Amino acid sequence: MRPNSETQSHPGRVFRLSYASRATRPMHRRAASQLAINAAASNNRDGVTGVLFSDHGLFLQWLEGPAPEVCAVMSRIAADPRHTDVTLLSAGWIADRRYSDWSMQLAEQPLPGATAGGRLRNRSKAPCEIWQALAAFEAAASEYHRERYRNGSCASLKSFAEQLIERSPSASPQLPDVVVTNLPARAQFVEDVCREFLHGWREDRWTSVEIGLGMAHLNLMWQRSGRVMEPSNPRQCVAIVVPPNSGEILGAIVKADVLRAAGISVRMVRAASTEATLKSLLGQRLDAIIVAGSRVGWSADQKRARHLAHAIGEQIQAIPIYIGGRSVGSLDGWPERISSLRENAVALNTADIDWLALADLASQGRVTA
């Protein structure tokens, strides 16, 4: 389900929104699949891409593309009698499409927290909470990027990881072409290679020293592929803090590039002690602080991250603090997390939204998540 090439958006001008709803009657998988196929045909014409979840009587959907077309699609969706409680979860701009080859893909994985009876475990009246939607969209994005580089020129992840460990930096394997020019895909590829390192360590194929060497080579490959500059007019400012004595830095570097590409300013903090870290953070105007965790999975590094986050929280209570790491979610998902989990993120019933007015505001770049 691919949109025509002429409908692709320019980087930095892609409008996106997400919504959740409840089905008015049970919908089997075949009917949901046909719904996605019909939507794909229309979306392909309008240059809209995205992903749809249908699970236990719940719908969750992400739409992206030109603002007028996305709002027009959402207006039709909101009026569809096959569902109710249609709730807008987020809306705003992203640097580039998240699912550019999917005119409308029906996700294979179930919704997190979905239960029989058409409800999600949540504390609000909305069909699902923001964190549940984020987890679902991140899972879909991860599968999308894996599909792209599986169909590219990439050897197996195991083979790639082995070459990183066995070869010198000057003779490292090449990143697949499909991920070199696509930052989110490259972030997902790095994440999957790190997961392969973890599997090798658990299976006693590689020592921690060998994995450290492989991580160093992978870091070098990321640097050579090009870093992202600070945005000229950032919409938010985030600090990424690397715990003292942490054995990993690659995850923090990838997060910084992904956030900057999304228009978020990033201040990297890597100090020799907790006291020096706190001193560098005090007085800064920040929207969030991310304490870098472990992507490979070393328990010592994750403990350092938790202890440092606790120490920062005791001194700086007005700024949201997040702990990174493999167990938290994808590297590519951080911009959406920072935008959608702000204190003022509120789900809106679509019955209260004038979609023509929203399309007009979005076309002027005046809608943010």
Side-chain angles (χ1 to χ4, degrees):
M1 298 181 185
R2 297 167 182 260
N4 296 326
S5 59
E6 63 266 25
T7 65
Q8 300 296 317
S9 297
H10 297 293
R13 298 301 298 169
V14 180
F15 185 67
R16 63 97 178 98
L17 62 78
S18 63
Y19 77 89
S21 66
R22 294 186 177 95
T24 52
R25 61 180 63 183
M27 178 173 286
H28 299 295
R29 187 71 181 177
R30 182 177 296 178
S33 179
Q34 188 59 52
L35 179 66
I37 291 171
N38 294 341
S42 174
N43 292 348
N44 189 63
R45 180 191 66 237
D46 296 333
V48 175
T49 52
V51 64
L52 169 69
F53 290 81
S54 176
D55 188 24
H56 286 98
L58 291 158
F59 293 114
L60 179 65
Q61 191 169 12
W62 171 290
L63 298 166
E64 61 189 15
E69 283 77 2
V70 169
C71 290
V73 170
M74 190 62 221
S75 179
R76 294 194 295 270
I77 289 173
D80 193 319
R82 287 174 291 188
H83 61 171
T84 186
D85 296 333
V86 185
T87 305
L88 182 67
L89 299 176
S90 66
W93 298 97
I94 50 177
D96 207 346
R97 292 176 187 261
R98 205 171 188 187
Y99 313 98
S100 60
D101 290 341
W102 289 352
S103 294
M104 187 46 60
Q105 182 80 5
L106 181 63
E108 295 297 328
Q109 58 268 50
L111 281 170
T115 60
R119 299 186 180 183
L120 282 172
R121 296 187 293 273
N122 64 64
R123 300 179 300 277
S124 69
K125 295 181 180 179
C128 78
E129 290 187 347
I130 295 290
W131 71 265
Q132 293 166 318
L134 289 177
F137 293 135
E138 284 186 23
S142 295
E143 182 54 35
Y144 169 77
H145 294 310
R146 290 191 188 106
E147 180 181 295
R148 290 197 73 186
Y149 63 70
R150 275 200 301 262
N151 294 336
S153 58
C154 176
S156 72
L157 288 168
K158 181 178 178 180
S159 173
F160 190 91
E162 286 174 346
Q163 292 179 65
L164 283 174
I165 288 174
E166 294 169 1
R167 296 187 180 187
S168 66
S170 60
S172 293
Q174 297 297 310
L175 286 171
D177 292 341
V178 71
V179 308
V180 171
T181 57
N182 185 292
L183 185 64
R186 185 164 22 125
Q188 184 62 52
F189 183 77
V190 166
E191 190 169 350
D192 288 345
V193 173
C194 289
R195 188 178 292 109
E196 189 59 42
F197 283 146
L198 175 62
H199 292 164
W201 180 73
R202 285 176 172 171
E203 295 168 2
D204 228 7
R205 287 186 279 125
W206 302 316
T207 67
S208 57
V209 173
E210 289 174 319
I211 291 173
L213 180 63
M215 288 286 286
H217 291 176
L218 189 58
N219 187 358
L220 183 61
M221 294 175 76
W222 182 275
Q223 304 275 0
R224 286 176 173 173
S225 296
R227 297 295 309 279
V228 178
M229 301 294 290
E230 275 282 290
S232 57
N233 187 25
R235 54 189 176 89
Q236 289 173 284
C237 183
V238 169
I240 297 180
V241 181
V242 179
N245 303 315
S246 174
E248 291 187 37
I249 185 67
L250 180 57
I253 292 173
V254 174
K255 269 195 287 287
D257 282 349
V258 170
L259 287 164
R260 285 169 177 152
I264 299 173
S265 176
V266 176
R267 299 176 184 175
M268 294 286 288
V269 177
R270 191 181 189 189
S273 66
T274 298
E275 292 73 20
T277 299
L278 289 170
K279 185 177 180 180
S280 66
L281 291 172
L282 288 171
Q284 290 198 35
R285 299 182 63 181
L286 300 168
D287 294 287
I289 297 172
I290 302 171
V291 181
S294 173
R295 301 311 305 182
V296 174
W298 310 127
S299 58
D301 278 347
Q302 208 60 27
K303 279 184 180 178
R304 291 189 186 99
R306 287 195 298 268
H307 291 160
L308 181 57
H310 179 72
I312 295 172
E314 287 187 330
Q315 296 293 320
I316 306 174
Q317 299 179 359
I319 301 174
I321 300 170
Y322 304 93
I323 301 176
R326 181 176 53 87
S327 62
V328 175
S330 68
L331 289 163
D332 178 40
W334 276 104
E336 192 68 16
R337 262 174 252 158
I338 295 298
S339 295
S340 297
L341 293 180
R342 291 180 302 179
E343 292 182 353
N344 64 343
V346 179
L348 299 174
N349 191 300
T350 57
D352 302 324
I353 298 174
D354 183 334
W355 290 103
L356 290 177
L358 180 61
D360 184 54
L361 289 172
S363 298
Q364 300 174 44
R366 293 167 59 187
V367 176
T368 57

